[in-house]
Amino acid sequence: MNHSADAGAPPSAWIELPHFDWAPLLADGAPTLRYRKGETLFCQGDAVRHVYVVEEGRVRLVLLSAAGHEKHMAIVGTRGMVGECSAFLDGCHSVTAIASSDVVARQVGRTQLFDAMQRHPVCLRQVLWLSNVKLRILANQNLLLSQSTAAQRVAHHLVQLAVTYGRAVDGGTLISVAFTHQEMANITGLSRVMVSNVLIQLQEQGLTDKSKLHCVIRDMRGLRQRAAVL
């Protein structure tokens, strides 16, 4: 993960943290659980009894309105954690966590999390970092969904993926994190068809190049101009 590039830029809604070390938190035992794509880890409003460290796969965080409308907030992958944001407030989950792919996760008790944060500074820093990143993502999502076009939303998330997970390749920047059109649709609040159409347009304009699950940014400056909202 690239923390230094484009300092101050909004973080990517795809959270991958392979370098995070949760060993002190998991040392006292944490069951390994497996979820199939589409299964729910916990629901909005449930009591927070556990948090989950994602070992494999990705988990999407979804906010549900009273009318049942969904707003997708973030997608948490390798070595990320879900459930921690609500563990310190009223003890009820503020979002629903759904497996965006097949997921392997370690289940950690709420009390176990508190103890590890008190005893191990690395755990405390990582939990605080995650909470802050999710807060920034939430703020940026609110602005995007209220003030941007479909093309701007998709372009914005591509820019942030490239800033956070990009690496230089011949002719551009490769986004090393794989994402699906459905995940992009969920995050942008668009239909999968609309996302596909925008991605095709960006490719035809020479801004991007998509191959299977990966994307190469060919013209970062041009893509930033298309994303000009934030």
Side-chain angles (χ1 to χ4, degrees), residues 142-225:
N142 182 58
L143 183 59
L144 280 170
L145 293 175
S146 63
Q147 299 186 17
S148 63
T149 65
Q152 286 172 321
R153 295 181 200 178
V154 174
H156 167 82
H157 285 291
L158 289 176
V159 167
Q160 297 316 316
L161 279 165
V163 166
T164 309
Y165 305 111
R167 60 182 178 85
V169 296
D170 289 341
T173 302
L174 172 69
I175 297 174
S176 58
V177 172
F179 65 89
T180 66
H181 287 199
Q182 187 59 59
E183 286 178 336
M184 182 64 78
N186 291 338
I187 286 294
T188 56
L190 303 169
S191 69
R192 184 173 177 178
V193 172
M194 179 63 76
V195 167
S196 296
N197 289 340
V198 171
L199 290 173
I200 289 171
Q201 291 172 7
L202 294 176
Q203 186 168 346
E204 290 176 343
Q205 294 164 3
L207 300 176
T208 65
D209 193 8
K210 191 84 159 61
S211 176
K212 295 183 178 180
L213 295 178
H214 290 277
C215 182
V216 176
I217 309 302
R218 299 298 185 190
D219 181 356
M220 181 64 79
R221 182 177 179 181
L223 191 63
R224 287 181 184 277
Q225 291 175 345

Side-chain angles (χ1 to χ4, degrees), residues 111-132:
T111 301
Q112 187 176 341
L113 172 66
F114 293 166
D115 290 344
M117 290 173 65
Q118 289 180 334
R119 291 186 284 112
H120 301 285
V122 64
C123 285
L124 176 62
R125 288 195 298 269
Q126 289 178 175
V127 171
L128 290 175
W129 189 92
L130 275 168
S131 296
N132 276 277

